[in-house]
Structure formats: C-alpha cells, structure tokens
Amino acid sequence: MKGFYYVVKEDAKNLSEENIFECKLRGSLKVKNSKLNCIIGDVVEFDEDEKVITKIFDRKNYLHRPLLSNIDFIGILFAIENPKFDFTNFQKMLLNANYQNIPCILILSKVDLVSKDQLNQFLEEFEKVFGNTVHIFPISIKENFGIKELKDYIKKKSIVISGPSGAGKSSLINSLMGEEILATSDVSQKTKKGRHTTTESRFFMTDEHSYVIDTPGFSTLDFPKLKNRKELEVLFPEFLEFLQDCKFRDCIHTNEPNCAIKENVQNQKIHKKRYDFYLYSLENIKIK
C-alpha cells in the first residue's frame, strides 16, 4: 500500500502476521520524491504503538535495481544446461555486484541434468577463468543435493537470489523454505528460455535472522554507469594486484605499451576470457 512500510520485529522467528507492523514514515525522514527514503532491507527503529518509523540506520550497501539494502550476498543462480550457462550474462551480473561492493556466490542449479564428468569439467573451467573470486554451490532440487550446505552458508544472512528465468529460483526458495510457496515453471523447449514466474521482488525468512529475496528473472542486463572508463578496471578483482605496475597511470589496458594487465594475460595470470570481457565492457559501459 502506498505510503506504508511493513516492519518485522528483530526477534521474529517467522513472518507471521503478529510479527509484522504496518507503519508510516516520520515526516522528518522523508526526502521529497526520493525512492531511497526507506527501502526493503533497511534496519529501523519504530514506535509499536503509534506505528511510525522513527529512525533509519545507515546502510552498509544497497542495490539500485531491484531497490534493496543491507545485502550480505548476491546468489547468482544459473544452470549448466536447460537453460545453458551464459558466461556473458553471468559476468554482467558479477560486474554489477562488484560495482555495488556486494559479495557474490554462484548457485549452480540442475546439476542432475549433467554427468559427474560434465559437472567437474565445468567447475575446472570456471576455476581457470575466475580463480577463487567466486564461491560455487552446485545443487539439485530434484535429488536434494547441496541444499543443506547452501542453507548453512547463508544462515543469519540476507541474500538476494537472481538469475535468468528458468534457472530454478522459485524451486530453490521452496526448498529453502521447506514448503511449496512459489509457483514454478519449466523451460520452454522451443526457445530454451524460462517463463517468468516472478514479476516483483519478494522477501522470505528461511530461519531466524536469515532472509532470502527473490527477484524477477532477466533476459538482458545493463552495464553499470561509471564516472569514467578508468573506473572499470577495479571491478575486475584479478586485475587489482597488477594495476600499479602499468607504466602509465591513465592506462586503460588496450593499446598502451608496458601494460601490466596485458602482460599478465599473456603469462596466463589473468584468464583471456576475463580480459576479453573487460574489453567488451569497456565498449559498452555508460558514462554518467
């Protein structure tokens, strides 16, 4: 309802009606026409009797789209097959998460659809490209594989689940919740893409102080808006230890001589796929 905010008590063990309070925002906290006044994930103080939010604590981070705050992890959910893993879209999501300084994990769904050899081959290739910069959780809802490990990892955390339609977000959340609370859909055999079942962000409590937010699936994903092209380099964690070794301070690692990034691509300390994606990003980023 417009103008109202729904507050969950800190000691709540679930999202039952008695733990949720419909509140207004104190006038002094409002900035006219600002969507950032109070958003999902904010930690607040509120007057239980007057049903008024009286204070909003500083955010450690926030996502622009969807608009969420105080996120511990973004769980990027992709399948190896059905739909096929899209390295470009995955890297776009990783880039956006790095831009907003939010840690990522890869939740690799539907591993029952591939052989153990195919899974191991994928994991080996992924590690070659990304090193140890992304923690991976292979899971199978059908075989109840990897769910406990994932649930233990995100316990007492706030995690956003996002990824392409058809990767299994709704099925995963049903499994984490232990009940069928979300509709699921199959991947279209004609397009090999998922049908959208989530149209807005939804907030769930899987355990005490453990929150999962389901976000709409995507077909395309924008690049972050940067102040300048030079800002892009720090969004690639594997570049960081080499940046100071470039001869020129304004090096953007394309045609400049004595570039430490290009040198480390050649000596395979930076994977060529990551460098190719950097060049692709450089051509497509939007400057504020």
Side-chain angles (χ1 to χ4, degrees), residues 230-286:
K230 183 69 175 167
E231 193 179 358
L232 179 66
E233 64 187 15
V234 298
L235 304 184
F236 287 75
E238 54 270 84
F239 286 14
L240 298 181
E241 64 178 298
F242 306 116
L243 293 175
Q244 63 185 6
D245 298 327
C246 288
K247 181 176 181 179
F248 300 102
R249 293 183 66 182
D250 60 351
C251 183
I252 58 170
H253 324 300
T254 53
N255 301 313
E256 301 88 346
N258 302 114
C259 169
I261 299 303
K262 289 188 293 182
E263 288 173 5
N264 281 285
V265 172
Q266 290 176 350
N267 65 29
Q268 299 182 0
K269 290 184 178 178
I270 297 173
H271 200 282
K272 189 175 184 303
K273 280 188 177 180
R274 289 294 282 157
Y275 178 67
D276 288 345
F277 182 74
Y278 167 80
L279 296 178
Y280 174 67
S281 303
L282 201 62
E283 292 178 1
N284 288 279
I285 56 171
K286 300 174 182 178

Side-chain angles (χ1 to χ4, degrees), residues 22-24 26 46-54:
E22 185 180 78
C23 297
K24 284 278 195 177
R26 176 169 282 177
F46 72 106
D47 187 310
E48 192 172 327
D49 296 321
E50 294 187 14
K51 306 292 192 298
V52 174
I53 295 171
T54 57

Side-chain angles (χ1 to χ4, degrees), residues 55-273:
K55 180 178 180 179
I56 302 171
F57 291 89
D58 290 341
R59 298 163 184 149
K60 65 180 180 182
N61 57 44
Y62 70 91
L63 283 169
H64 297 280
R65 193 176 67 179
L67 199 53
L68 308 164
S69 71
N70 298 316
I71 303 302
D72 293 302
F73 297 106
I74 296 177
I76 304 179
L77 182 70
F78 274 81
I80 297 178
E81 296 289 345
N82 200 37
K84 193 172 183 64
F85 193 97
D86 187 326
F87 270 93
T88 299
N89 264 340
F90 172 75
Q91 290 184 95
K92 282 185 183 180
M93 294 192 72
L94 196 59
L95 195 68
N96 276 280
N98 290 340
Y99 174 66
Q100 295 175 91
N101 199 29
I102 302 176
C104 279
I105 60 175
L106 170 60
I107 305 172
L108 197 60
S109 65
K110 304 184 184 180
V111 297
D112 53 281
L113 297 182
V114 299
S115 68
K116 287 185 179 180
D117 286 345
Q118 286 174 302
L119 174 59
N120 289 333
Q121 185 178 353
F122 177 91
L123 294 175
E124 287 173 10
E125 176 64 18
F126 189 93
E127 187 176 358
K128 286 178 183 176
V129 176
F130 297 97
N132 60 358
T133 59
V134 183
H135 198 108
I136 307 177
F137 289 88
I139 66 166
S140 167
I141 305 299
K142 183 178 179 180
E143 297 181 353
N144 194 30
F145 172 78
I147 304 301
K148 182 182 184 302
E149 290 78 4
L150 176 61
K151 197 168 184 178
D152 288 345
Y153 190 82
I154 65 177
K155 191 170 185 178
K156 298 192 182 301
K157 302 291 183 183
S158 179
I159 180 171
V160 172
I161 306 290
S162 191
S165 301
K169 292 188 303 298
S170 296
S171 295
L172 173 59
I173 291 173
N174 287 340
S175 183
L176 292 173
M177 293 293 293
E179 58 180 312
E180 297 290 320
I181 57 174
L182 294 180
T184 61
S185 67
D186 297 325
V187 170
S188 167
Q189 293 306 306
K190 183 176 181 180
T191 65
K192 300 301 181 185
K193 295 180 180 180
R195 302 180 181 90
H196 295 271
T197 53
T198 303
T199 58
E200 60 186 358
S201 296
R202 293 175 288 188
F203 187 87
F204 302 99
M205 189 176 190
T206 58
D207 206 340
E208 191 173 358
H209 301 297
S210 303
Y211 303 101
V212 172
I213 302 153
D214 180 27
T215 60
F218 62 83
S219 54
T220 59
L221 188 69
D222 291 334
F223 285 90
K225 290 184 179 180
L226 305 181
K227 294 177 183 177
N228 53 65
R229 284 155 62 94
K230 183 69 175 167
E231 193 179 358
L232 179 66
E233 64 187 15
V234 298
L235 304 184
F236 287 75
E238 54 270 84
F239 286 14
L240 298 181
E241 64 178 298
F242 306 116
L243 293 175
Q244 63 185 6
D245 298 327
C246 288
K247 181 176 181 179
F248 300 102
R249 293 183 66 182
D250 60 351
C251 183
I252 58 170
H253 324 300
T254 53
N255 301 313
E256 301 88 346
N258 302 114
C259 169
I261 299 303
K262 289 188 293 182
E263 288 173 5
N264 281 285
V265 172
Q266 290 176 350
N267 65 29
Q268 299 182 0
K269 290 184 178 178
I270 297 173
H271 200 282
K272 189 175 184 303
K273 280 188 177 180

